[in-house]
Amino acid sequence: MCTETTRSDSTPIQPFGDGGSYDPATGTYHATFDEDVDADAVVVTIVSAVASATDRELTEMPPLYGAVDAEALTRLVTSSHEQSVEVTFSYVRCCVTVSSHGDVVVEPPDGSSNR
């Protein structure tokens, strides 16, 4: 497995956690989920990506339901395969965007990063 991926503009994408990556050009963390593998994949991916972005352990993370209705979010992004859907919300002071394509993008607070 590669330890570093490069975008077309030659900015290195740095891996983190379970298949996620950090983009230093945008200061954002990127992760993907596959709802066909696990019904909880959306929630786990979001919480894991935000934990990495905020340099916290998973066990230190507050419940996602305090920021968004996790069941409704999961239904929305996993059932919208014909039309693209993106949902953006705040969680642990991060801006989180989840798409029906299985993408999660986390922007740390104030554009700061822990990398």
Side-chain angles (χ1 to χ4, degrees), residues 15-16 20 23-26 30 33-35 37 44-46 49 63 69 72 76 79 83 86 89-90 92-93 111-112:
F16 76 86
D23 184 346
T26 61
H30 299 257
F33 61 87
D34 182 357
E35 76 279 355
V37 174
V44 171
T45 302
I46 293 167
D69 183 331
L76 183 62
S79 64
Q83 273 194 315
E86 281 191 353
F89 58 94
S90 180
V92 190
R93 296 183 30 231
S112 64

Side-chain angles (χ1 to χ4, degrees), residues 30-94:
H30 299 257
T32 58
F33 61 87
D34 182 357
E35 76 279 355
D36 295 330
V37 174
D38 181 2
D40 296 324
V42 176
V43 172
V44 171
T45 302
I46 293 167
V47 175
S48 296
V50 173
S52 291
T54 58
D55 198 27
R56 293 184 179 186
E57 295 293 323
L58 281 175
T59 56
E60 297 174 353
M61 299 300 292
L64 184 60
Y65 65 77
V68 67
D69 183 331
E71 286 182 31
L73 174 65
T74 299
R75 278 194 309 274
L76 183 62
V77 299
T78 59
S79 64
S80 301
H81 294 290
E82 293 178 15
Q83 273 194 315
S84 180
V85 173
E86 281 191 353
V87 178
T88 301
F89 58 94
S90 180
Y91 174 55
V92 190
R93 296 183 30 231
C94 294

